[in-house]
């Protein structure tokens, strides 16, 4: 076996087909994630489905991995629950699939508790609105199926890399919320039947959308930031300030330490080791001089550098400070 990649790509596609088989033919019904998502994406995905590439499928499979792990954890803990519970609207082609449905609370009292699992890189400070809408729709269909008894739900955000789990808890069946989401479902059915326009509704999930190319939501900058993207951008800006302050402080502490140790040092205490080693001076190529004195050679020693996205976030305060300084 020499090149694994073609086999790997094929196997990932097959795994995805098997994992989503439990959801049935998604072009024939409106699901909870459709109701919570973007009408344009739902329309295009159902009319002209695009097969996600391996990278995207691997990202999606983090969700399945999180569910697989939680299933084993819940079983080990003796939880009474089912997985992938399908709920169907009695009159409209609308469905929801619950990741987990618990039948008791942790004191053994009867209660239906739906859990929607989200695999994340970094637990957000607050749940994304799409997650809450998805759960709200699930709880509505659950109430229709079980008109009596206690019903609740939560969103379990799981960061497998960091080994962190956070439960956004305290959700219950809410009639106005469900009615609103049900109307969104009806709107999607109108869109699919050509009776309404599939308007885009941008969110953090645009990063996973296969129909982003040509999406009108991104065609005329500046784009209005969805609330969860704004939340992340603000967090980025705050952490950047902390990082810059830390770098400044590190630089001055480093100088104080090296002033004490000199260029070579090894020391220790009960709490830490301190080592300073000296890097000998070395020579490097001066690109400007090379270009000036050897213009024929210069193009021959150039190598390609991959492009990248430069991210800059300015908070309103920083923007005001900057314009005041101008
Ligand atoms: S990029 Fe975002 S707004 Fe555009 S279709 Fe995809 S999910 Fe909708």
């Amino acid at each position: 076996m020499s090149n694994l990649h073609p086999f790997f790509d094929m196997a990932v596609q097959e795994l995805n087909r098997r994992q989503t088989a439990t959801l049935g033919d998604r072009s024939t019904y409106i699901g909870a994630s459709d109701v919570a998502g973007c009408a344009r994406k739902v329309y295009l995905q159902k009319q002209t489905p695009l097969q996600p590439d391996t990278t995207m499928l691997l990202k999606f499979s983090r969700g399945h991995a999180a569910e697989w792990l939680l299933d084993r954890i819940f079983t080990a803990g003796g939880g009474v629950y089912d997985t992938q519970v399908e709920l169907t609207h009695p009159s409209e082609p609308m469905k929801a699939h619950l990741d987990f449905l618990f039948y008791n609370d942790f004191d053994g009292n009867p209660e239906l508790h739906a859990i929607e699992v989200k695999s994340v890189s970094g637990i957000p400070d607050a749940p994304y609105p799409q997650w809450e809408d998805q759960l709200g729709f699930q709880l509505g269909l659950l109430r229709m199926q079980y008109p009596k008894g206690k019903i609740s739900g939560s969103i379990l955000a799981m960061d497998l890399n960091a080994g962190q789990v956070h439960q956004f808890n305290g959700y219950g069946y809410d009639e106005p919320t469900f009615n609103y989401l049900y109307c969104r479902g009806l709107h999607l059915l109108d869109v699919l039947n050509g009776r309404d326009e599939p308007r885009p509704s941008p969110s953090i999930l645009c990063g996973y959308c296969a129909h982003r190319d040509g999406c009108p939501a991104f065609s005329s900058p500046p784009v209005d930031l969805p609330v969860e993207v704004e939340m992340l951008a603000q967090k980025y800006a705050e952490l950047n300030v902390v990082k810059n302050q830390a770098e400044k402080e590190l630089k001055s502490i480093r100088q104080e330490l090296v002033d004490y140790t000199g260029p070579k040092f090894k020391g220790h205490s009960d709490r830490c080791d301190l080592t300073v080693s000296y890097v000998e001076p070395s020579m490097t190529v001066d690109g400007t001089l090379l270009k000036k004195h050897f213009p024929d050679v210069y193009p021959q020693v150039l190598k390609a550098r991959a492009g990248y996205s430069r991210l800059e976030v300015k908070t309103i305060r920083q923007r005001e400070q900057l314009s005041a300084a101008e």
Side-chain angles (χ1 to χ4, degrees):
M1 186 184 285
S2 50
N3 184 4
L4 183 72
H5 286 284
F7 165 74
F8 188 80
D9 290 346
M10 177 278 293
V12 170
Q13 297 284 349
E14 175 57 19
L15 177 66
N16 178 59
R17 197 192 58 74
R18 289 184 195 181
Q19 280 169 331
T20 50
T22 51
L23 302 177
D25 181 357
R26 297 192 66 183
S27 67
T28 59
Y29 67 89
I30 300 295
S33 60
D34 296 334
V35 169
C38 162
R40 180 177 182 269
K41 180 176 155 186
V42 171
Y43 172 76
L44 292 173
Q45 198 59 35
K46 292 192 193 291
Q47 297 295 315
T48 47
L50 291 178
Q51 191 54 34
D53 61 15
T54 301
T55 306
M56 200 54 91
L57 286 177
L58 281 175
K59 283 187 187 174
F60 290 156
S61 64
R62 291 180 309 178
H64 297 298
E67 283 172 36
W68 177 88
L69 182 60
L70 285 169
D71 191 11
R72 268 135 196 90
I73 292 171
F74 292 156
T75 301
V80 182
Y81 65 92
D82 278 323
T83 59
Q84 287 305 318
V85 177
E86 182 173 284
L87 304 167
T88 307
H89 192 277
S91 55
E92 299 292 344
M94 297 180 191
K95 285 185 186 181
H97 293 88
L98 308 183
D99 290 335
F100 294 95
L101 179 61
F102 276 74
Y103 295 99
N104 291 323
D105 67 12
F106 293 113
D107 297 321
N109 303 313
E111 173 181 347
L112 291 174
H113 185 86
I115 296 182
E116 174 61 27
V117 178
K118 296 294 174 194
S119 168
V120 293
S121 308
I123 310 265
D125 293 339
Y128 295 153
Q130 298 79 19
W131 298 353
E132 295 185 308
D133 286 351
Q134 190 175 352
L135 182 63
F137 190 72
Q138 292 170 344
L139 292 175
L141 291 189
L142 193 61
R143 180 84 290 171
M144 289 182 124
Q145 191 149 326
Y146 297 96
K148 292 205 171 82
K150 194 173 172 199
I151 278 182
S152 62
S154 58
I155 297 159
L156 208 56
M158 197 167 187
D159 183 340
L160 284 172
N161 283 341
Q164 288 176 341
V165 177
H166 183 81
Q167 183 187 24
F168 296 105
N169 202 0
Y171 296 90
Y173 166 67
D174 180 60
E175 196 176 338
T177 302
F178 179 63
N179 284 342
Y180 163 72
L181 294 168
Y182 171 66
C183 288
R184 273 187 23 192
L186 291 178
H187 164 68
L188 287 176
L189 287 172
D190 281 348
V191 163
L192 290 173
N193 291 318
R195 292 192 293 264
D196 210 340
E197 280 294 299
R199 280 180 292 278
S201 79
S203 74
I204 191 80
L205 301 177
C206 293
Y208 299 90
C209 177
H211 304 281
R212 189 175 160 134
D213 281 351
C215 177
F218 293 90
S219 61
S220 51
V223 172
D224 282 338
L225 293 181
V227 60
E228 69 277 18
V229 176
E230 180 195 60
M231 220 160 67
L232 270 185
Q234 272 182 322
K235 190 164 184 180
Y236 183 89
E238 282 161 21
L239 289 175
N240 217 13
V241 170
V242 173
K243 187 190 101 183
N244 291 339
Q245 280 167 349
E247 274 172 359
K248 242 162 109 182
E249 212 173 322
L250 278 171
K251 202 170 159 193
S252 94
I253 293 175
R254 183 188 179 285
Q255 191 55 52
E256 276 193 62
L257 285 172
V258 174
D259 285 348
Y260 162 75
T261 62
K264 279 187 184 175
F265 181 84
K266 207 172 175 74
H268 71 97
S269 75
D270 289 345
R271 293 191 182 169
C272 66
D273 295 338
L274 177 61
T275 308
V276 179
S277 50
Y278 184 64
V279 180
E280 295 292 338
S282 59
M283 303 299 281
T284 180
V285 174
D286 184 325
T288 317
L289 284 179
L290 178 68
K291 195 173 182 179
K292 187 174 165 196
H293 296 300
F294 302 97
D296 299 341
V297 175
Y298 184 72
Q300 296 170 39
V301 296
L302 291 179
K303 69 175 182 186
R305 191 168 59 181
Y308 63 97
S309 303
R310 184 178 289 148
L311 176 69
E312 192 184 6
V313 183
K314 275 195 201 84
T315 59
I316 299 284
R317 227 175 75 207
Q318 289 167 329
R319 208 161 64 195
E320 283 171 357
Q321 282 168 350
L322 275 175
S323 41
E326 279 168 6

